[in-house]
Amino acid sequence: MARGGVCLYRRARGPNARLKPIPDPAPTRLTFYARAVQHTRTGAASQTKFLLEESQLPRRWYNIRSDMPTAPQPVLHPGTGQPIGPDDLAPLFPMELIGQEVSEDAEIPIPEEVLEIYSLWRPTPLYRAHRLEEAIGTRSRIFYKYEGVSPPGSHKPNTAVAQAFYNKKEGRTRLATETGAGQWGSALSFACKLIGLECKVYMVRVSYEQKPARRSMIKAWGAEVVPSPSEETQSGRAILAEHPDSPGSLGIAISEAVEDAAGRDDTAYALGSVLNHVLLHQTVIGQEALAQIELAGSFPDVVVGCVGGGSNFAGLAFPFLREKIAGRDIDVLACEPAACPTLTRGLFAYDFGDTSMLTPLVAMHTLGHDFVPAPIHAGGLRYHGVAPLISQLVLDGLIRAEAYLQNDVFASAVLFAGSEGILPAPEAAHAIHGTLQVAKAADEAGQERTILLNLSGHGHFDMAAYDSYFAGKLEDVALDEAEMERALRSIEGLPTPA
Ligand SMILES: Cc1ncc(COP(=O)(O)O)c(C=O)c1O
């Protein structure tokens, strides 16, 4: 029984001794002590964490389609080249998610059951990176929204929980999916466990080998996990026949999961990025960040995120793009690997979302569906395409993109860990590196910016990547022009965007 670290009860003597309250000897001192604790760091300018109450969790997802200056291109049926309808997607997704995919409503309510699970880790903290600012000697202010506090360690459960919920509600009992870095596979197995669904994960082979602990995590939440390409699907067998040592890619793993789901009535497919409804579910991140940065008495000049398929980037950036479209001046920066430079060097074209051409055709920046990115350690950024919504916003000049080499990215990750303490996932480290570039450019120009980045996950399962970096074994790979030309040949003859 202690208050302010002081024992307030005294044990009385004798057989029937009971704890007797001690008259508080110095109530004013104790009160003073508690107040002193609260009052040591009141000013928003010196505060480190900006936290919201559970009751402040956003109750709606924000749908950027309602505000986009140019509507995204229609999704096409690969056979007919005509826009697809809900029935074409029904074998793979529940109707509620198909509805969200095409919805033009500005806001979509988050079901209570989903909010209840979100409350296990949301709202997530917003940090002011005082120590990083000091380490680099910048005059800019740096804030980061930290999604690594979720049980699987990234932003991915924001959509995994929603997808598992709608599938269960519409009677599916099993989900099949791909995973690149292992973050999405763990997030979906976590969500399926909590909601009561079976789950099968096709994990890109290079990540399967680099990250055995992610595999165990997926298994701990009850899902089955196999390396992709696998012998379990036609798509996997076809790729292994041609390339027995294939490191795999997200495009290949997607083909396997789609084939699995399409072949079973009890199974739906769940995608961890790219699709409109996935990006929608992530917008809780940016909505919270808007409220938190207001608590800090600030507003960002620059919003930064890493882009694989684009979901964490969209999650943070879309609510701020809503402000930008309404007239506020914000620079929105997407960061990608030079080994897979989809936004900076890819073509805006219709392409398949997977390698085996099983998915509908979407208009997006692409490097070609049979492109297999070099096995860089940011496995979650090794995807040939990007979300169509992000592609359109890049075309409209609302988002800009930069690409970085992995040794530079790891140097920034280590600098961040050495000042802020958190060891970032290699994917998230691209956003840190982008932030440092922005701060450096501002300092050189004598400017002071407020920069907000999405720290999409921690890197506790990526220590092998850090080991390779420390051992000087990380290869810097920038996509070779000839390989890009080869890969882009795979989209010749497909419809072109209007
Ligand atoms: C921590 C982390 N950040 C970012 C990404 C990239 O995905 P997206 O662009 O969909 O956010 C991944 C993908 O696995 C990831 O694990």
Side-chain angles (χ1 to χ4, degrees), residues 153-156 179-185 211 214 250 272-274 278-279 282 306-315 378-382 386 390 424-429 454-459 462:
S154 78
H155 64 294
K156 296 284 181 182
T179 193
Q183 290 270 21
W184 167 243
K211 300 188 187 186
R214 273 278 165 208
L250 273 170
S273 192
V274 181
V278 180
L279 274 53
Q282 293 293 352
C306 69
V307 173
S311 71
N312 86 91
F313 172 79
L381 307 187
R382 292 178 69 242
V386 73
I390 293 179
E427 293 82 4
N454 197 3
L455 192 63
S456 53
H458 66 63
D462 299 281

Side-chain angles (χ1 to χ4, degrees), residues 201-428:
V201 180
Y202 294 86
M203 185 168 184
V204 173
R205 182 176 295 275
V206 59
S207 295
Y208 189 89
E209 281 156 11
Q210 281 168 353
K211 300 188 187 186
R214 273 278 165 208
R215 275 188 251 156
S216 310
M217 195 176 196
I218 292 170
K219 284 187 198 154
W221 278 314
E224 188 190 345
V225 53
V226 292
S228 164
S230 76
E231 293 287 351
E232 301 194 16
T233 63
Q234 260 178 24
S235 316
R237 287 190 293 274
I239 286 161
L240 285 175
E242 226 180 295
H243 307 285
D245 297 325
S246 168
S249 70
L250 273 170
I252 295 170
I254 292 172
S255 296
E256 293 209 87
V258 167
E259 187 184 321
D260 178 321
R264 290 177 59 154
D265 285 346
D266 63 348
T267 302
Y269 169 61
L271 185 62
S273 192
V274 181
L275 298 176
N276 301 350
H277 68 265
V278 180
L279 274 53
L280 172 83
H281 299 153
Q282 293 293 352
T283 57
V284 284
I285 303 174
Q287 292 183 73
E288 286 176 9
L290 267 166
Q292 287 165 305
I293 206 148
E294 194 179 314
L295 284 180
S298 200
F299 193 83
D301 303 304
V302 193
V303 172
V304 187
C306 69
V307 173
S311 71
N312 86 91
F313 172 79
L316 179 68
F318 282 6
F320 286 92
L321 279 165
R322 186 183 208 177
E323 304 289 321
K324 181 166 177 166
I325 293 165
R328 284 190 98 144
D329 184 16
I330 314 173
D331 177 19
V332 182
L333 172 62
C335 306
E336 59 184 14
C340 189
T342 321
L343 285 172
T344 47
R345 291 174 62 197
L347 281 186
F348 180 72
Y350 270 107
D351 197 4
F352 294 95
D354 72 317
T355 305
S356 302
M357 303 181 283
L358 300 177
T359 68
L361 290 165
V362 291
M364 60 180 175
H365 287 82
T366 178
L367 295 165
H369 55 265
D370 74 356
F371 172 61
V372 178
I376 53 163
H377 279 279
L381 307 187
R382 292 178 69 242
Y383 182 59
H384 67 273
V386 73
L389 291 178
I390 293 179
S391 283
Q392 189 58 56
L393 292 161
V394 168
L395 288 183
D396 287 345
L398 287 160
I399 298 171
R400 69 185 176 97
E402 288 183 355
Y404 311 122
L405 293 168
Q406 64 174 345
N407 276 296
D408 295 339
V409 167
F410 272 87
S412 295
V414 171
L415 173 63
F416 185 87
S419 44
E420 294 299 310
I422 298 170
L423 231 133
E427 293 82 4

Side-chain angles (χ1 to χ4, degrees), residues 15-169:
N16 297 324
R18 308 268 303 268
L19 288 176
K20 287 192 177 165
I22 306 171
D24 193 335
T28 39
R29 223 181 101 230
L30 283 174
T31 318
F32 174 72
Y33 175 65
R35 262 201 219 131
V37 168
Q38 284 167 16
H39 284 201
T40 44
R41 313 187 72 206
T42 44
S46 61
Q47 201 166 315
T48 300
K49 289 193 297 304
F50 298 89
L51 304 173
L52 298 177
E53 296 291 332
E54 221 167 279
S55 59
Q56 293 172 291
L57 230 165
R59 305 192 86 76
R60 291 166 180 275
W61 291 302
Y62 165 59
N63 181 13
I64 200 164
R65 275 177 70 114
S66 62
D67 289 321
M68 283 171 70
T70 313
Q73 304 275 324
V75 175
L76 303 181
H77 192 285
T80 63
Q82 294 304 308
I84 54 164
D87 291 346
D88 296 310
L89 293 173
L92 293 183
F93 301 106
M95 275 301 164
E96 196 109 24
L97 291 179
I98 295 171
Q100 290 178 5
E101 194 61 23
V102 294
S103 170
E104 303 211 340
D105 296 346
E107 294 186 336
I108 293 175
I110 306 177
E112 269 314 310
E113 296 86 339
V114 172
L115 283 171
E116 198 191 295
I117 298 182
Y118 277 178
S119 69
L120 288 172
W121 72 95
R122 302 210 74 84
T124 61
L126 177 83
Y127 286 83
R128 168 88 185 266
H130 289 293
R131 301 174 65 92
L132 178 66
E133 289 169 18
E134 212 176 298
I136 60 171
T138 184
R139 51 167 95 180
S140 291
R141 284 168 297 278
I142 300 175
F143 290 89
Y144 58 98
K145 178 76 168 154
Y146 186 39
E147 289 295 304
V149 294
S150 77
S154 78
H155 64 294
K156 296 284 181 182
N158 296 332
T159 181
V161 171
Q163 292 190 46
F165 168 76
Y166 290 118
N167 273 291
K168 171 95 175 184
K169 195 171 153 209

